[in-house]
Amino acid sequence: MFSFLLRRLLQSAIVMLAVALIAFLMFRYIGDPVAQMVGQETSLTERAELRQQLGLNDPVPVQFVTFVGRILQGDFGLSYQMGQPVDTLLATRLPATLELSFMALIMASVLGVPMGVYTGLHPKSWLSRTFMIVSLAGVSLPTFFIGIMLILVFGVELGWLPTFGRGDVVELGWWSTGLLSVSGWKSILMPAFTLGLFQLTFIMRLIRSEMLEVLRADYIRFARARGLHNSSIHFGHALKNTLVPVMTIAGLQLGSIIAFGIITESVFQWPGIGLLFLQAISTADIPIMSTYLLLVAAIFVIINLIVDLLYYAVDPRLRADNASGGH
Amino acid sequence: MQETDAKPPLLAIKGLKVEYPGRLKTFVAVEDVALQIRHGEILGLVGESGAGKSTIGSAIMGLLDAPGRIAEGAIELDGERIDNLGAEAMRRIRGKRISMIFQDPLTSLNPLYTIGRQLTETIRTHRSVSADQARRDAIALLEKVGISDAEHRMDQYPHQFSGGMRQRVVIALVLCTDPDLIIADEPTTALDVSVQAQILDLIKRLAAERNAGVLLVTHDMGVIAETATRVAVMYRGRVVETGETQQIIHAPTHAYTKSLIGAVPRADVKLERFPRVDFIEGSGKPAPQFDVRSHWLGQGGSATSPERTVRSTPLVEMNDLGMRFITHRSVFPRRRRYFDAVKDFTLDVKNGEVLGLVGESGSGKSTVARVLAGLYRESAGSINFDGKALGGQDGRREFGRQIQMIFQDPYSSLNPRMRVDAIIAEPIEHYGLAPDRRERETIVANLLDLVGLGQDAGRKFPHEFSGGQRQRISIARALATRPRFLICDEPTSALDVSIQAQILNLLKDLQEWLGLTMLFISHDLPVVRQMCDRIAVMRHGKLCEVAETEALFSNPQHGYTKELLRLMPRL
Amino acid sequence: MAAGRLARSIKSDMLYKFLTSPLTVCAAIVATILILCALLSPWIAPHDPFDTATVDLMNSLIPPVWQEDGDWTFLLGTDDQGRDLLSAILYGTRTSIAVGFIAVGLAVAIGLILGLLAGYLGGFVDGLIMRVVDIQMTFPAIMVALLIDGISRGILPREQHDQLALFVIILSLALSIWPQVARTVRASTMVEKNREYVQAVRIIGRPAIVIMLKHVMPNVLGPVLVIATINLGVAILGEATLSFLGVGMPATEPSLGTLIRIGNNFLFSGERWIVIFPGLTLALLVMSVNLLGDWLRDALDPKLR
Amino acid sequence: GAETLRFSSQGDITSLDPYTIDETFTSGFLGNIYEGLVRRAPDLSIQPALAESWEMVEPTRWRFHLRKDVKFHDGSAFTADDVLYSADRVRAGASDFKNRLAPDTKVVKVDDYTVDFITATPNPIIHYQWGNWYMMSKSWAEKNKVGEPQKAGTGEEAYTTLHENGTGPFKLDAREPGIKTTLSANADWWGNAGRTDNVTDVVFTPIPNAATRVAALLSGQMDVIFPVPVQDIDRVEQSEGTHMIVGPELRTVYLFLDQFRDELLYSNIKGKNPLKDHRVREALYRGIDIETIKKKVMRGMSTPSALMVAPGINGFSEDFKRLEYDPAKAKALLAEAGYPDGFELGLDCPNDRYVNDEAICVAVTNMWAKIGVKVKLNAQTKSKFFEKVFAPKLDFSVGLIGSTPPSFDSLAPINSLHVCPRVSPDAAAWQEGEREKVSNGKSNYGGYCNPEVDKLAGQILLETDQDKRNALIKQTWKITTDDIAYLPLHQQWIAWGVRDGVELKQRPDDVFDWRYVEIKK
Ligand SMILES: Nc1ncnc2c1ncn2[C@@H]1O[C@H](COP(=O)(O)OP(=O)(O)OP(=O)(O)O)[C@@H](O)[C@H]1O
Ligand SMILES: Nc1ncnc2c1ncn2[C@@H]1O[C@H](COP(=O)(O)OP(=O)(O)OP(=O)(O)O)[C@@H](O)[C@H]1O
Ligand SMILES: [Mg+2]
Ligand SMILES: [Mg+2]
């Protein structure tokens, strides 16, 4: 366990390095940051100077080494657009994104899991079929469309929910939460639903597929023979056996929506890191992008590590290291 | 017909017909079956493998595998029909009033929950007791079924248990709710005789003291003789004969029963070959006549002919073999706990010999087999095969085909998504043992015939087979590699004596004519006596005694061996 | 001969399951129609929306025929550039189907193989592949596309840049989807490889690769099908994002996704047909493919008969 | 009572430092916090601000008399020292406003409230560009160690990025970059007596997503939003509780053509550059049906333009007329130029920069196809577009951009767009390797060169007599339009969505001056 974590830590460091490197290669193609940093009247010499100052003219290896060196000292640089330290920018926006992502995932699981179990149990019932078809709306309609439609109906026409932003936020130390105010809750509903709809479909379908498999297992039959309650058979025995792939996807999806809930954040003007990233792409704000990518890499590394650990928690057979794995 | 009785029987099955509708044709598994079990009675159900015994059990429970369904007939519990009850009503009967031990104990336990959790959960579903109480009850139950160190074992997962131990857990699970009717489908196949005796005793006591009825499905006529009050004999989906145990065993009337009884392996003398069941009804293909020397199994390959085999040289040498499992993980090495499943195990298997491995359930037999097969990496000692070390990848690759294994659990060792013919064809294909596809198909068909499944079986998927049939598929697959050294972990535990005889004879022929070497793990002492040249006895992960078969049976040295022989059920 | 019978029987098994499910039959019909229409678009489309010379701005924003001001020349109306929407959808679907199916297919292929390798072999290989997954997940398709596009533009002469778009899109979408497949497959493989049926074939001496492909793979395919079918829509819509950044198809050759992206601008203003019809087409396509995926999953399950 | 103005635009301001970036929205926004010596009225006329009056003492010496009762937000008084400080700072470091004050202009303190600007050569329009050259406090700067202006992203985080100390009518309360900025009215503002507005608080939320922005207005959560996408204008207009305020903008959108390369990129014509041929340029010009673009793409919200400057810019003249849309003639011209079957070229466009920029390009593509010119359209986000098209890469054959003359005078566009972009009179336009050194004609990406224009530009710069100057300008415009140096398209319109009950004045340069806002309910 200890050595496992140690090994992962080392691997993670390599992952971060690789991400930084690839990101650097990428930035050559992202566009010219300087054009966005100066007015139209600025002379070419000044532009060139600025480029020089930002180190954009250095050879990639030099830029890379400088960058890594600075990061190791905890200096992530200043945003080209906002002139502020990138790490504080991201840190102040991370809570919003995390709250939204977790809400979305919770929404998706609270609905998706029972729906998945139900459709797995009764694959032929009309309700299952309805679930299966209706849920497809979540994956076949573009997020943007869903978001705008929600805004139109609940925000503009009915006027029930705010159409943008996070509502009132409460500062709890370094964490700012919108979940302590009514307006905060009102604000998170639509974006979380928009984000969660896709996850819901995904989780539901995945669980159904796995449930169909698991429900035929002998231990389920035996559990029935023992007269266990259906709920405990379906949600305890069967569901747990579907968890390994479901957890994997849930983890990846959580990572993806934290990292790339960009469209939702943009549609609802949700002040999270995705919005920041979107702006950074359109203005070629390299420091934000690189730090952001490192953050995202860290998020995925952590989520995947947690998921890997959860495998062991869920499935005792995976803990066995005696079996000589593979060839 | 029970109108005369004041009290209806505990269970009455009337005119039962169960079918598995397929797309092309509907398979009738059970037809026109009528059975009765009274309170306190143990009804033995014997019969051909695939005759429909397990199907009857499942039908009573209302748990027929989809798409199976009851086409005709009625099942009554205490005079009330239960075959047409709703799902929730049936759930309330299950576990509480009727319990069933499925034939496949190894897959009956949820792999993700500890044994303790599964036990307490069942107890608390049916009785309102505190969690602590349930746990204490569970431990007591485990001890009752002969699991030592129960307190500690409670927190282990099914995969950490041996086959027999899992079977006992399943039995404990069934007993913990005090049901009125117990359906026990081959409950003791994986148990050594001493534990088996203990379990059977438990069941008998239950029937006697609690007035519970028992439907006991088994192939072991010895068990029937010692336990059952009455016996029903099944053949091809029908009950051909019912009667008092003594009458069935000593004066069977139906031709099938007669030949079945006649084929039971004898524990007292060693015979050349196993007697065969010669009753075949209707057109039925006669059991194929088989000549090893001209057969595909006998050609080429690495199986050496007996002439060339020097019986005295060891083929497999195990030196101080040890296998330890981690049972408690911890960051700190000091806090880790291990379990030595096999320890200081030194044993040779000679060229061309059949070495029997018997011993207490959970003593490490399967572990030895798995280490030999390369599924576990030994944690101590070494293995030599044909004089060469078997450690590492190279050794394994070199001897890959020569070492084969038949698993104790036929259920999980077959890929559920492959058709049976593909499963069996696989090793042939892999080693290029057949010149072309056509040939391969012929060989597969032939192998299926050899294990008594018939060629049509090839088109089906494993789940469409009965326990015994699946076991035969595994055997066919193992044979298809034309192995030199075959590890058989309880190869015939789920087979009726007739099929058992057919297969054991086949193995014997292979041994005799081709010098096939075998490690034969079994609890069935009569079979072991017939099959093996030498016998090793294991207990607690260690070797107790190794001796020539006859010497061991006539003059056991070790106390445990003596105990085993004493408890051997007899007709 | 027997092989033929086997093949026939497998097929007819699936056919049987297929014919007994009306929903699947519907889905198949819809999918076939969509795909056929897309493939045959040059022949059946009333206009050629990609031929810039025939597109007339004067015709822009004509509503569908059944609405007031509708015009029989443009059955489903026109978009903001005066392209016939029906034709644009037909042509756009062609691009989208190519992009979606190939990208997802590629992703599944990569993900399956790497996931199997990681899960089955474990250890170093697993660590390596999973860390690559970590890295890959970090980069959204947009960024990957920028990189591939940039690099290949650097390598290839300018004349070949025109053919680049499709390749860049497909590759970057595939690259962004495969990690999901790989991780899920790996997870299921880790469970599956400890099953006895896998051990049994290992004893037979089958090489790892055969065990993975022949034994483990069919048993881990369930979640893969779900992921693949769900990601089809994601890929098709993702293509539009890439186009927006300038690494996708040119604006004069709109795909389904691009049509939707453009149509989105008209959600408030009342010209909703511009988004509704392409959106509907996409929804139908994704739905029918998902339903077919459900059917395939069930058809491959020997126990569901 | 307390009235809060809630408004939204598509982007945030970059910095609170008034010298960091010369960009309309940021400096317009900061104009509510900071003030310059002069300011622009809603009709863009120049008004006194921190300077009460000014006069040209000599042709090379301007004198400015400062207002006396002005206090910075931190309470300190505004004096000539602050002007001197601001004059130094605006020309220092990475200031983006260096052109407001020539490097050799001397700024001299006459007394505490009088400052002289001594220029090397006469400059009649020295203060034209000072509407957004804001005065900063010297003492505050020293106290907070405010250094030279620096570009975002370089060095340390500047104090001025998040802090302000202006003299203007509004003070900053809180700022979360990219999310929200709140301000309140400055009770001590010198001009409070003449204020017509009633805004006490301002909440500014940037909402990049147009649909979201519109929804925020429609749902009553915003008082003012801009820009409103042209297709949504009707909706906002018709929706209860909101209305539109639209007006032409000073920015001219145009196509620029590669006229310096000897071989056109992205073309099937090898070995020569058809765009160098006047007939080809005319054909392209005549191939664009600008009225249809106005009607269909811009939904009427544009002013087709014959000139490279908009009405309202000094030097604009109604005398110039667009060449007629005439595809037949265009074809004939192409044939005459030797391209009877047309030819291929590439068109580069941003797709998130100007109003319906991508749609305009697609429309142009389709129109040119009809005269036989096959366009490979490449529409992409602005950052990629800029990098590809602007100097030094200049990787295009035709491109679309728009620009606003900063001083509202024609000289700037003449200088940067029409003067030959070369380092020395005998060098080639955009000579490889020297592109970054180009200072005149630096935005003349097409490399249009006409020695006469170069000469005229020099004369305009020095001419102090307004009438003569304007004649020179007109002469220049005549030459360049005859040359078809560019293909001007139109001025897009500013479209602001406003909640009913909110009154405001819209400036043609798209600056939102909160002093003219009145919230009725
Ligand atoms: N799911 C199924 N689909 C189709 N046929 C089945 C299915 N399950 C069992 N069968 C068939 O039903 C018959 C009876 O099976 P059953 O399991 O009851 O046999 P059994 O008497 O218990 O045999 P054994 O002693 O080998 O366990 C077998 O021939 C088997 O092939
Ligand atoms: N993966 C494991 N982890 C921990 N303990 C294990 C594991 N596998 C087996 N054991 C333990 O090793 C011992 C020997 O098991 P094994 O399966 O070899 O017994 P066996 O002799 O085959 O018994 P049976 O006759 O009941 O099948 C048992 O006590 C079992 O609990
Ligand atoms: Mg059975
Ligand atoms: Mg065992």
Side-chain angles (χ1 to χ4, degrees), chain D residues 37 48-54 64-69:
Chain D
L37 294 177
L50 294 183
E52 275 174 328
S53 63
W54 53 88
F64 281 78
H65 304 281
L66 306 184
R67 205 177 283 280
K68 298 210 172 62
D69 51 352

Side-chain angles (χ1 to χ4, degrees), chain A residues 2 213 218-219 221-222 224-229 232 236-237 240-241 315-317 319 321-322 324 327, chain B residues 58 63 91 94-95 100 104 107-108 110-113 118 121-122 125-126 157 170 324 329 374 393 417:
Chain A
F2 202 60
E213 198 97 345
D218 287 313
Y219 51 80
R221 210 152 74 101
F222 186 56
R224 288 194 203 289
R226 282 184 279 154
L228 298 186
H229 292 288
S232 118
H237 290 261
K240 192 166 180 190
N241 273 282
D315 195 331
R317 290 168 293 183
R319 283 172 229 167
D321 46 13
N322 291 89
S324 57
H327 279 260
Chain B
S58 301
L63 287 176
R91 185 191 74 72
R94 284 200 288 260
M100 176 161 177
D104 40 353
T107 48
S108 284
N110 189 337
L112 304 190
Y113 287 124
Q118 302 191 46
E121 180 186 24
T122 314
T125 307
H126 295 288
Y157 290 91
V170 169
R324 106 187 320 198
R329 326 182 129 251
Q393 311 267 318
R417 281 199 154 76

Side-chain angles (χ1 to χ4, degrees), chain B residues 106 162-164 190 361-362 364-367 408 489-490 521 523:
Chain B
L106 293 95
S162 80
S361 162
K365 302 182 294 298
S366 298
T367 308
Q408 184 171 10
D489 197 352
E490 312 262 7
I521 302 171
H523 291 299

Side-chain angles (χ1 to χ4, degrees), chain C residues 49 51-62 80-81 83 146 149-150 153 158-159 161-162 243-247 250-252 258 261-262 264-272, chain D residues 210-212 214-215 218 229 231-232 235 265-266 270 289 292-293 295-297 299 351-352 358-367 369-370 374-381 384 395:
Chain C
D51 178 2
T52 47
T54 64
V55 180
D56 192 340
L57 191 54
M58 281 316 284
N59 293 330
S60 69
L61 301 177
I62 296 177
D80 61 328
Q81 288 293 342
R83 279 183 286 245
L146 286 174
D149 183 68
R153 265 173 212 277
R158 192 172 257 126
E159 291 78 59
H161 289 187
D162 290 346
S243 299
F244 183 69
L245 276 183
V247 285
T252 45
T258 308
R261 169 168 71 78
I262 295 172
N264 274 329
N265 296 332
F266 300 92
L267 274 177
F268 283 116
S269 57
E271 291 99 356
R272 296 213 179 130
Chain D
T212 312
V214 173
L218 293 178
Q231 64 271 14
D232 294 340
R235 168 87 193 228
L265 299 179
Y266 302 101
K270 296 294 163 207
D289 181 359
T292 306
I293 290 182
K295 188 167 154 216
K296 291 295 189 171
V297 177
R299 304 203 185 204
N351 56 13
D352 52 358
E358 181 177 331
I360 296 171
C361 286
V362 175
V364 167
T365 304
N366 292 339
M367 289 167 178
K370 292 180 190 73
K374 194 165 174 288
V375 176
K376 288 181 232 162
L377 176 58
N378 182 11
Q380 49 190 339
T381 60
K384 290 203 75 195
D395 178 10

Side-chain angles (χ1 to χ4, degrees), chain B residues 100 129 375:
Chain B
M100 176 161 177
V129 291
L375 295 177

Side-chain angles (χ1 to χ4, degrees), chain C residues 75 163 180 198 206 288:
Chain C
L75 287 178
Q163 292 106 50
Q180 287 185 27
V198 175
R206 279 281 187 173
S288 53

Side-chain angles (χ1 to χ4, degrees), chain A residues 96-138:
Chain A
T97 293
L98 289 182
E99 273 180 10
L100 178 60
S101 309
F102 278 102
M103 276 299 284
L105 195 68
I106 288 170
M107 217 179 240
S109 356
V110 164
L111 294 174
V113 170
M115 278 161 78
V117 171
Y118 182 85
T119 47
L121 282 172
H122 311 282
K124 298 213 162 109
S125 86
W126 64 267
L127 189 59
S128 297
R129 286 179 198 222
T130 318
F131 281 162
M132 292 298 281
I133 294 176
V134 170
S135 71
L136 283 177

Side-chain angles (χ1 to χ4, degrees), chain C residues 173-249:
Chain C
L173 288 172
L175 284 180
S176 68
I177 297 173
W178 77 265
Q180 287 185 27
V181 182
R183 270 199 73 91
T184 320
V185 167
R186 164 186 177 257
S188 305
T189 304
M190 288 191 330
V191 176
E192 218 64 29
K193 82 164 178 200
N194 289 324
R195 295 261 164 91
E196 283 200 335
Y197 73 84
V198 175
Q199 300 180 342
V201 269
R202 268 173 59 195
I203 296 181
I204 289 176
R206 279 281 187 173
I209 186 76
V210 176
I211 302 183
M212 279 181 245
L213 292 181
K214 206 170 155 194
H215 293 267
V216 181
M217 192 175 86
N219 286 290
V220 299
L221 224 45
V224 173
L225 275 175
V226 174
I227 295 175
T229 49
I230 282 187
N231 271 301
L232 183 71
V234 177
I236 291 178
L237 287 171
E239 181 270 328
T241 323
L242 303 188
S243 299
F244 183 69
L245 276 183
V247 285
M249 303 299 289

